[in-house]
Amino acid sequence: MLCTMDRSTDTVLCYTLSGDVTKADYQTLNPAVAAAIKANGSISLLSDLTDLPWEQASAWGSDLGFGKQVGDSVEKMAIVGDKGWEKHLTKLADPFYAKEAKYFDTTDDAWSWLTS
């Protein structure tokens, strides 16, 4: 499930991902991110994966397509989590999903980096 966080702005989009992330979640995410990029030229993303056990395999193609579609327009991507695989995911995100990606333990730290 994908939920927009209250602290999202026009240029810093913040999402919480929990439970099962599906292909349908990307059908919600992609247009929202594309609209923000069209309106602002570039954006930053915060993804809180703390309550995400893993992404459904059926969503992997949509995930990769998302990175290909927006990667050049995402200045910074902050990934928040508490598991080892999330740290490794950040390393993959850096060249494909954003110009710069970093891992954080808290959303407050991630927000500070994204807005600095």
Side-chain angles (χ1 to χ4, degrees), residues 69-112:
Q69 176 187 352
V70 304
D72 291 338
S73 300
V74 177
E75 295 297 324
K76 294 180 175 180
M77 179 179 214
I79 295 177
V80 178
D82 60 359
K83 297 174 229 30
W85 66 265
E86 296 157 340
K87 291 179 183 178
H88 295 295
L89 181 66
T90 304
K91 293 175 186 172
L92 293 173
D94 200 3
F96 299 108
Y97 291 82
K99 293 178 182 174
E100 184 177 8
K102 286 182 97 173
Y103 174 85
F104 297 90
D105 294 321
T106 70
T107 56
D108 288 338
D109 290 342
W111 179 259
S112 294

Side-chain angles (χ1 to χ4, degrees), residues 21-37:
V21 172
T22 66
K23 189 175 180 178
D25 288 314
Y26 285 97
Q27 292 171 344
T28 300
L29 179 67
N30 289 1
V33 171
I37 291 169

